[in-house]
Amino acid sequence: MGKLDGKVAFITGAARGQGRSHALGLAREGADIIAIDTTAKVDTVPYPLASAGELSETVRLVEATGRSIVARDADVRDSAALAKAVTAGVERFGRLDIVLANAGISSPAPTLEMSDETWQDMIDINLTGVWKSLKASVPHIIEGGRGGSVVITSSLAAIYANENTAHYSAAKAGLVMLMKVMAKELAPHSIRVNTIHPTTVATDMILNDATYRLFRPDIDNPTRADFEQAALGLNRLPVAALEPEDITNTVLHLVTNTGKYITGTTQVIDAGGAL
């Protein structure tokens, strides 16, 4: 028996990284999955975004656990596409219990030098895209009348400032108050809402040349090893980057009965980085 037998979860950014890890973690505990990601190109993002093949691999891995999955190519900036994807999943599975608003981008740039497009894409995806994801999905949890759980992926960057991340930090900090307001609004429906705040996590959003240069501006062509040497300075525990599964463990705590009275909180998974 799994901790989430009979439950259904909607996960954004599920093609790879933390989103895929969350989909597999919840499926192994018995949940069926509604998954979205997008193959749309975002010109201001300095690394390749998810591919259709990566989303298909998430489907394969979830189905290998014995659970079912409905996956769609949908952009969190597109309310209609989000609503269509969630509705398809609810029609297939008959319910929705959990929402993981996980999709996000990174595009490091100096605050006064970044383009208007860089700022706007960040806010549209990392902040407004979360609101649109919740607007498309949470009403289905309310309609079910069984309560549920919403987990929003924020960041240590909402708590601890670093140069060249003003747009990212502003978006991630905005998610905290979005979470707190929704936690109050949804409490009468027994729906819990929390944010998670990871330090650096070893995903494609972090493991790329733009991030390496952000952490090691002193080197012309920094490598992952150079990045990890600098990233060790962020965390008090001796680790350069967490694994996606480390974040999934906290998500599972929040969405299962072990976290049934946790709502309106900021769950920090930072290896001591905020100390």
Side-chain angles (χ1 to χ4, degrees):
M1 296 291 290
K3 295 179 180 178
L4 295 173
D5 284 348
K7 301 292 181 67
V8 177
F10 170 55
I11 305 173
T12 69
R16 62 189 189 186
Q18 292 183 53
R20 177 187 285 174
S21 176
H22 300 342
L24 291 176
L26 270 62
R28 288 173 182 138
E29 289 294 341
D32 291 319
I33 307 296
I34 306 168
I36 69 153
D37 215 316
T38 182
T39 57
K41 191 172 186 290
V42 182
D43 290 335
T44 59
V45 175
Y47 56 89
L49 296 179
S51 68
E54 287 171 320
L55 185 56
S56 294
E57 178 65 4
T58 295
V59 171
R60 185 190 71 81
L61 291 168
V62 167
E63 290 178 342
T65 71
R67 303 314 309 164
S68 297
I69 179 171
V70 170
R72 296 288 185 271
D73 186 328
D75 192 318
V76 295
R77 295 171 293 182
D78 186 341
S79 294
L82 287 167
K84 186 176 180 180
V86 176
T87 298
V90 172
E91 287 178 350
R92 167 83 178 276
F93 299 125
R95 61 189 287 165
L96 184 63
D97 307 276
I98 296 162
V99 172
L100 306 183
N102 164 79
I105 60 169
S106 174
S107 55
T111 305
L112 301 181
E113 298 174 20
M114 72 176 70
S115 67
D116 289 1
E117 292 77 16
T118 297
W119 176 275
Q120 197 61 57
D121 285 344
M122 179 64 67
I123 300 303
D124 287 348
I125 294 170
N126 284 23
L127 180 56
T128 306
V130 170
W131 169 70
K132 288 183 177 183
S133 298
L134 301 182
K135 188 179 179 185
S137 57
V138 173
H140 291 283
I141 306 181
I142 296 173
E143 184 179 354
R146 294 174 292 265
S149 179
V150 176
V151 179
I152 299 169
T153 302
S154 182
S155 171
L156 182 60
I159 301 167
Y160 184 91
N162 284 297
E163 295 90 341
N164 303 307
T165 62
H167 53 334
Y168 183 82
S169 296
K172 293 298 190 178
L175 294 177
V176 174
M177 291 313 296
L178 173 63
M179 172 273 290
K180 288 181 178 291
V181 170
M182 291 196 69
K184 285 192 172 184
E185 292 178 347
L186 296 176
H189 300 284
S190 296
I191 298 172
R192 298 172 289 104
V193 189
N194 297 281
T195 49
I196 55 173
H197 298 258
T199 184
T200 49
V201 182
T203 68
D204 293 276
M205 195 179 88
I206 296 297
L207 301 179
N208 59 72
D209 290 339
T211 303
Y212 299 165
R213 289 193 297 271
L214 174 67
F215 276 77
R216 295 304 304 267
D218 55 313
I219 299 176
D220 288 337
N221 295 295
T223 64
R224 178 173 177 175
D226 297 322
F227 153 74
E228 289 181 345
Q229 184 180 23
L232 281 169
L234 285 181
N235 306 322
R236 294 299 180 265
L237 297 178
V239 59
L242 308 185
E243 294 298 324
E245 293 79 8
D246 299 320
I247 315 306
T248 299
N249 289 336
T250 294
V251 170
L252 284 169
H253 172 57
L254 292 171
V255 303
T256 58
N257 279 339
T258 58
K260 63 183 177 181
Y261 295 123
I262 301 173
T263 193
T265 69
T266 52
Q267 300 283 314
V268 179
I269 314 130
D270 69 344
L275 293 175

